[in-house]
Amino acid sequence: MFKPSWVAPGPGVEKDAPPKKGPARYFEILLRDAGTLWKAGALFCLCCLPMAVCAAVLMLLGGHPAVFVAAVSAGPAMAGLHFVVLKTVRDEPGYVWHDFKTACRENRRQTRAPGMVLSFLLLIETLCARLVLYGAVQASALLYAGVILGLLLVFLVWHFFTMQVLFLTLPTRAALQNSVLLVFGHVWRSLPAGLLLAGAWAVMVLVLQPWFSLLLLCAGAPMLIVLWADFLLWPVMEKVFSITRPRREQRQAEADTDADGQSFP
């Protein structure tokens, strides 16, 4: 009863323990990097605040090309967000503000125009969904399917495009083309991620009251969805482009070189 058991070492983690997978791995990342994810989400929301205000005002008018001007920071902000989130998924150390700012600055030229276009398409899809949801138009099964498919494509193409810009050197047209091919070529991973993103967007924008959606944004709830989407989609990027393998091989080669050149008494 009086033994100071707190000074005894715990069981710890075995040296050759296999890495966690699935939901266990997701919650491990979430609990470990919750503060990092919340900060990245807050920076993303601040960058997209002009677009959100403009979209909320223009929603009453049925959309307007002025949303292009407000969405000028959406693409770079998405690049910064994914760079920070993917660092946590890949177990790489980093600093939130520095990583977010660096990713935004280095990829702003290539992500600005696609981000503006995809943001406008997302606004159009939201308008169509609101018209269907509140019965302003006579909705058929084909219209429902078109709205859902449009939301899935916008979210998934944007995600795959941003990840390619961050880790590959490709022209914008080739990255967008690859994004579409990745969506339809890996349906079993892209479909759950797309449904998750579209469902979260629909609940926050179409169902909940604006003040409650703002509260969820401040609490960092969307980061749970973004982390899960990147958690599902990153293995596709690894399988197709082998992004981590060359870097791992280079580190192993450097370690072998240092070990060979080291002298022992």
Side-chain angles (χ1 to χ4, degrees):
M1 179 177 178
F2 299 100
K3 182 180 179 180
S5 57
W6 61 84
V7 298
V13 180
E14 296 182 5
K15 182 179 179 180
D16 298 328
K20 297 179 180 180
K21 297 181 180 180
R25 172 64 175 160
Y26 169 78
F27 286 106
E28 179 188 29
I29 298 173
L30 179 62
L31 296 176
R32 183 192 63 194
D33 299 313
T36 299
L37 296 172
W38 183 87
K39 293 175 185 178
L43 290 173
F44 175 75
C45 292
L46 287 176
C47 293
C48 294
L49 186 60
M51 180 186 68
V53 174
C54 183
V57 173
L58 297 178
M59 191 75 70
L60 302 176
L61 305 178
H64 194 274
V67 74
F68 279 106
V69 179
V72 68
S73 62
M78 183 66 75
L81 172 65
H82 280 291
F83 189 66
V84 175
V85 173
L86 288 173
K87 268 199 165 185
T88 64
V89 173
R90 301 167 69 189
D91 293 329
E92 292 185 358
Y95 299 93
V96 179
W97 170 245
H98 178 267
D99 293 337
F100 191 92
K101 181 179 66 175
T102 302
C104 290
R105 183 178 65 249
E106 293 180 353
N107 301 284
R108 63 177 182 271
R109 292 185 178 180
Q110 194 171 5
T111 58
R112 187 178 296 161
M116 295 165 69
V117 173
L118 291 171
S119 298
F120 186 74
L121 292 177
L122 186 59
L123 175 64
I124 298 301
E125 288 290 335
T126 305
L127 287 171
C128 294
R130 290 180 68 89
L131 291 176
V132 171
L133 181 64
Y134 295 109
V137 295
Q138 295 295 328
S140 60
L142 185 62
L143 184 58
Y144 277 115
V147 172
I148 296 174
L149 181 61
L151 283 172
L152 293 178
L153 284 177
V154 169
F155 279 117
L156 292 174
V157 168
W158 201 345
H159 269 64
F160 277 123
F161 172 77
T162 305
M163 287 191 283
Q164 290 179 80
V165 169
L166 287 173
F167 297 100
L168 302 172
T169 304
L170 292 173
T172 302
R173 181 177 180 180
L176 289 172
Q177 182 179 358
N178 290 342
S179 301
V180 177
L181 295 176
L182 289 171
V183 171
F184 291 101
H186 300 271
V187 178
W188 296 113
R189 279 201 172 264
S190 61
L191 183 60
L195 290 174
L196 194 67
L197 292 167
W201 175 266
V203 170
M204 294 190 65
V205 176
L206 303 177
V207 179
L208 299 179
Q209 296 295 326
W211 63 269
F212 193 66
S213 297
L214 181 61
L215 182 63
L216 290 178
L217 286 172
C218 295
M223 291 308 99
L224 307 178
I225 310 300
V226 174
L227 174 61
W228 190 255
D230 286 352
F231 184 75
L232 290 172
L233 298 178
W234 179 249
V236 176
M237 295 288 295
E238 279 287 357
K239 180 180 180 180
V240 175
F241 299 107
S242 300
I243 296 172
T244 307
R245 186 181 305 169
R247 186 175 301 179
R248 187 187 302 118
E249 293 176 354
Q250 181 180 0
R251 291 177 180 174
Q252 185 64 34
E254 292 176 354
D256 294 341
T257 303
D258 295 339
D260 294 337
Q262 190 176 12
S263 61
F264 296 93

